[in-house]
Amino acid sequence: MKILDANGQPDLRKTARRGRAARRSVVPDIKSPRARKIPAYTLLNENALKAIEDQADWILQNIGVEFCSDKTALDLFAAAGATVVGEKVTFEPGLARQLCATAPAKFELHARDPANTVLLGGDKVVLMPGYGSPFVSDLEKGRRYATLTDFENFVKLSYSTPWLHHSGGTVCEPTDVPVNKRHLDMVLAHLTLSSKPFMGGVTSLERAQDGIDMARLVFGAAFMEDHAVMQGNINVNSPLIFDDTMSGALRVYAAANQCVCVSPSIFAGAMGPLSPAAVAAQTLAEGMVGIALAQLVRPGCPVVFGSFHSTMNLKSGALAFGSPEANLVTMALSQLGRRLGVPVRSGGGQISASNAPDGQAMQDSTGAMWATLLSGAHQVWHAAGWLEGGLVMSYEKFIMDLDHCGAMMTLLQGFETDEEAFGRDAYHETGPGQNFLSTQHTLRHFATANFQPDIPEAGPYETWVENGSHTADQRATARWKRMLDDYKAPPMAEGIYKALTDFVATRKAAMPDAWY
Amino acid sequence: MKILDANGQPDLRKTARRGRAARRSVVPDIKSPRARKIPAYTLLNENALKAIEDQADWILQNIGVEFCSDKTALDLFAAAGATVVGEKVTFEPGLARQLCATAPAKFELHARDPANTVLLGGDKVVLMPGYGSPFVSDLEKGRRYATLTDFENFVKLSYSTPWLHHSGGTVCEPTDVPVNKRHLDMVLAHLTLSSKPFMGGVTSLERAQDGIDMARLVFGAAFMEDHAVMQGNINVNSPLIFDDTMSGALRVYAAANQCVCVSPSIFAGAMGPLSPAAVAAQTLAEGMVGIALAQLVRPGCPVVFGSFHSTMNLKSGALAFGSPEANLVTMALSQLGRRLGVPVRSGGGQISASNAPDGQAMQDSTGAMWATLLSGAHQVWHAAGWLEGGLVMSYEKFIMDLDHCGAMMTLLQGFETDEEAFGRDAYHETGPGQNFLSTQHTLRHFATANFQPDIPEAGPYETWVENGSHTADQRATARWKRMLDDYKAPPMAEGIYKALTDFVATRKAAMPDAWY
């Protein structure tokens, strides 16, 4: 795989055209189908969409959003025509949406291997692993705190599968590394162990800047002025608050023209009213405000309208990822985000509150993934590995989820209705009551006809029992182990690698360890 | 529950209006939401639909369908303008569709409890249990041949849940009863242990007639002249053959004005070409021919356009229920059936080739159910319990599937976008950064806000481990046991009950046991 040119710089000439026109170009699909060819599902009609949009405007006009200790943000909003009183910002109806108008409808997120560059927006679908779990589990070693080795393993696994198109961000928390230095090891892993797009740190302005500086060592500062190569996940402190860490990190990414993903985080009934309509409206309101801030910092900077939401069992307080009400919100937000004119990161993905990669885990995950992908979301976090409401990245569920990612990407291709698909010659060869297995049509197509999961088939019951009655999760263990054994790092010029590791060493040496 | 009137006859006065107008009336939803309020997903555009319909016409014109040893059927087709040569029938393009035109677009399937009467067609959704499994399994007794007791158990369980609207047919094979007498015990169980709609036997003309005669003892022969109270599942011997057992049973149901469900059965690559487009076209062709025959026997008799299909691993020969290609066919057939103007029984449902109620089982089942219900199918077989490609009805998977049936029926309700849904008063009570749990809006709605599964929540990890780390299937065992313990048979007038049991005794006495 040729990745770097003679000077150790990424060979991005083919895609290095500048400006909006370049952003709209379509990256060729090399490793896997990345575009949907079937229509997005339309859950809500115009009246319902308008009602939700009006409610978002009502929230922004009557309740407002607070920016804590971020005078820069408050000044930007005031200058743009919003009303700022203390730390609270309110907006006349329509203003927040108007401030989002400079955000690109789609853009390329460049990878250091240009073949892995993705387009966010339009008819493209970008899947990535789970995000943020403090624990990992596998069937042999059980559940335990995640370490940097686990982090690196999931980066390697995500790099090794055609069904994830993005290396993710905090795929799990490397809890054996001091909190103030984790971002350095995480970005280093994404940049060196993978050549897919990635997310940088956001837990402080300085950490966000470190990640951007590291990316500049690989992609070049000049290239990054005009091209997004990384994303930062800006969680809203819902309801209706951006804390200064998040708004500060947002401004760092926007100023660097890197992608800001704004993710309101609403558990229905706790961080917002409990109805799907209310959660959708508040997510839209909070999302528009974050996107507006990014555009005020740097008009035209790439953004993603994200979300993270769940229902709760309002009697027990337990979160219920993958519930029907949450799936409805997921579908609604895909529509609302497309109307806003920006790429949509779905609050769905393959998510579950289950403690094991069991039937419940896959029922929840599969339903949420259908809601996500049918409704036309562009970017999907938590597409693999996520268990226990995000507390755990499971090695086995990761593999099971990958199979379903592949199945769904296959489904999104739809099917042909041309002459060859109908196989009329096969009917002339056979006829009523006869078998089609040996027809020329079957022989022409059987090798490539159907999606093939990676987890071995269970096989006939008797054979399965003889082999130990292994459930799907048990059959997945060998797969992730083999993927790690077979993993080969994408090549990187020695000079770049040294610059990165020097940067990490210098930054680490400059700070005492801190665990907050 | 008041079911029978003073004479022991069903109290069907409210719904006993005659003719087509009565069939179009909408049954009130009492026990559960039965109507979709969200739009059906549109997979295929007009060009693709037309291409598939043209291919179906091509098959019927150029290849034809064979009716084995059924001169009555052949004569009916010849008289209707089809070309009959030997046992093969071919149709000019458009003729088969034209012969289907007298079939009702929707109709009521009457239950002996009128509250359980369902409407097939329109925006209604009717879910039913698995069909045809020779084995059952549960986590305590393991996998074993199904018995009449198991059959009765699944009838009781289906009656006890609001998420199944139909008692099914051969929910499992009562293998301890001679083959030639099973239909009597099965119909007796459906009629006495449940008061939901059901399916009768089809394995011979006489067995089909026995079931109809038993239903007449409950509903009255006169009532059944104008009202459908049962269905018969007519499997096509795909490719393109109706054997005389199936076409004969079809004619018995149609002549009695009871519902004929025509189900082509195609494993892609074996009983038809391997592409989704070809499977959809052949299913449509075979389905139209069966429906046409029913309409020739009795114009206007109620029919359902069914299907049963799967892809195979074309290297191993294993069936792959729930595959993306099969899900695409499922979605396409919902559209094609609605265009044909008849209710659609989906080839999806909660199906899997897995040997256990594990993650794979629920991944397959959940995806297939989404394809089924999003695409607008009206009747769903195999909505609960089905495992091992249909070889097994699993008690635990039945319970897990019911939870997902409930979730999907909830999802199909969509959500409100009215003033109360948006909860503006809650924002005035709280504000940015504050909790919504104690707002009046939450208090008004928390008790009914979200769908609540029946399987107990796993709970926090530590508690879950203390309680034995039970996976979802393990937590389901107690539920089906309690449902059986709590089961109460719907009341039936003593005279009717005696007439039914006398009928069964007389018919059994008239035949020696036969195991074929």
Side-chain angles (χ1 to χ4, degrees), chain A residues 95-162:
Chain A
L95 176 58
R97 179 172 294 264
Q98 184 191 317
L99 295 176
C100 297
T102 50
K106 47 187 174 178
F107 59 88
E108 282 175 330
L109 185 63
H110 290 271
R112 75 174 173 98
D113 179 353
N116 288 332
T117 292
V118 297
L119 191 89
L120 280 169
D123 59 357
K124 299 295 179 182
V125 177
V126 174
L127 307 183
M128 42 190 273
Y131 190 108
S133 305
F135 299 98
V136 296
S137 75
D138 69 72
L139 292 185
E140 290 182 357
K141 294 188 194 159
R143 182 181 185 266
R144 58 195 187 270
Y145 277 105
T147 64
L148 182 58
T149 300
D150 292 309
F151 184 96
E152 291 171 344
N153 282 345
F154 281 113
V155 170
K156 291 174 182 175
L157 292 169
S158 298
Y159 173 69
S160 302
T161 174

Side-chain angles (χ1 to χ4, degrees), chain B residues 34-373:
Chain B
R34 291 177 187 155
R36 80 168 51 246
K37 293 177 185 160
I38 66 175
Y41 175 65
T42 301
L43 174 72
L44 300 176
N45 61 26
E46 180 65 28
N47 284 346
L49 291 165
K50 188 69 172 44
I52 294 171
E53 290 170 346
D54 287 349
Q55 171 64 8
D57 270 345
W58 180 89
I59 292 171
L60 294 180
Q61 180 176 30
N62 294 280
I63 308 298
V65 173
E66 289 182 9
F67 282 81
C68 304
S69 313
D70 189 343
K71 187 169 182 309
T72 308
L74 293 169
D75 288 348
L76 283 167
F77 281 119
T83 303
V84 176
V85 178
E87 297 190 326
K88 183 180 286 191
V89 188
T90 55
F91 299 81
E92 289 298 308
L95 175 59
R97 180 172 293 265
Q98 184 190 317
L99 296 176
C100 297
T102 51
K106 47 188 174 178
F107 59 90
E108 281 175 330
L109 186 63
H110 290 271
R112 77 175 171 98
D113 178 354
N116 288 332
T117 292
V118 296
L119 190 89
L120 280 169
D123 59 357
K124 300 295 181 183
V125 177
V126 174
L127 307 183
M128 43 190 274
Y131 189 109
S133 304
F135 298 99
V136 294
S137 74
D138 68 70
L139 292 186
E140 290 181 356
K141 295 188 193 160
R143 181 180 185 268
R144 57 196 188 270
Y145 277 105
T147 64
L148 183 57
T149 300
D150 293 309
F151 183 96
E152 292 172 345
N153 282 345
F154 281 112
V155 170
K156 292 174 181 177
L157 292 170
S158 299
Y159 173 69
S160 302
T161 175
W163 304 121
L164 299 180
H165 315 103
H166 189 300
S167 192
T170 307
V171 290
C172 60
E173 281 285 350
T175 62
D176 52 345
V177 179
V179 171
N180 64 335
K181 299 178 180 178
R182 284 179 193 171
H183 64 290
L184 297 164
D185 287 327
M186 291 195 281
V187 171
L188 184 66
H190 284 306
L191 282 171
T192 58
L193 301 178
S194 179
S195 63
K196 294 184 179 180
F198 71 102
M199 309 187 78
V202 290
T203 51
S204 78
L205 277 67
E206 296 73 24
R207 294 171 195 165
Q209 191 61 53
D210 280 342
I212 290 169
D213 289 345
M214 289 173 72
R216 285 176 175 155
L217 296 174
V218 175
F219 291 90
F223 182 79
M224 282 173 60
E225 272 302 298
D226 285 325
H227 300 86
V229 307
M230 63 194 296
Q231 295 180 288
N233 175 40
I234 307 303
N235 279 321
V236 182
N237 200 348
S238 307
L240 302 168
I241 287 187
F242 285 74
D243 66 40
D244 59 337
T245 302
M246 283 293 144
S247 63
L250 181 155
R251 290 189 287 99
V252 169
Y253 277 86
N257 207 22
Q258 299 305 300
C259 175
V260 170
C261 182
V262 182
S263 297
S265 309
I266 303 176
F267 297 146
M271 291 92 122
L274 50 61
S275 84
V279 173
Q282 188 180 318
T283 299
L284 179 61
E286 295 176 353
M288 286 196 297
V289 169
I291 291 170
L293 177 58
Q295 297 304 308
L296 291 174
V297 170
R298 180 151 174 168
C301 88
V303 300
V304 167
F305 171 51
S307 56
F308 183 69
H309 60 85
S310 167
T311 54
M312 304 164 63
N313 178 335
L314 291 157
K315 288 141 196 161
S316 73
L319 293 172
F321 291 98
S323 70
E325 297 83 5
N327 289 338
L328 287 167
V329 173
T330 294
M331 293 192 273
L333 287 172
S334 290
Q335 280 185 273
L336 292 161
R338 291 203 311 272
R339 277 162 69 98
L340 185 60
V342 295
V344 175
R345 170 249 161 148
S346 175
Q350 307 213 84
I351 53 177
S352 175
S354 177
N355 296 328
D358 62 352
Q360 182 200 335
M362 305 324 279
Q363 208 175 44
D364 294 345
S365 295
T366 302
M369 196 62 160
W370 270 78
T372 296
L373 292 180

Side-chain angles (χ1 to χ4, degrees), chain A residues 3 13 72 95 101 104 126 191 201 204 218 244 251 312 375 382 392 434 454 470 491 504 508:
Chain A
I3 298 167
R13 280 164 295 184
T72 309
L95 176 58
V126 174
L191 282 172
S204 79
V218 175
D244 59 336
R251 290 188 287 99
M312 303 163 64
S375 64
H382 314 316
V392 168
Q434 292 182 55
D454 281 325
H470 290 147
V504 170
K508 283 189 172 180

Side-chain angles (χ1 to χ4, degrees), chain A residues 39 41 55 275 282 325 421 427, chain B residues 39 41 275 282 421 424 427 451:
Chain A
Y41 175 64
Q55 171 65 8
S275 83
Q282 187 180 319
E325 297 84 5
Y427 288 98
Chain B
Y41 175 65
S275 84
Q282 188 180 318
R424 291 183 178 180
Y427 288 98
F451 170 70

Side-chain angles (χ1 to χ4, degrees), chain A residues 201-205 208 234 244-254 260:
Chain A
V202 290
T203 51
S204 79
L205 276 68
I234 306 303
D244 59 336
T245 302
M246 283 294 144
S247 63
L250 182 154
R251 290 188 287 99
V252 168
Y253 276 86
V260 170

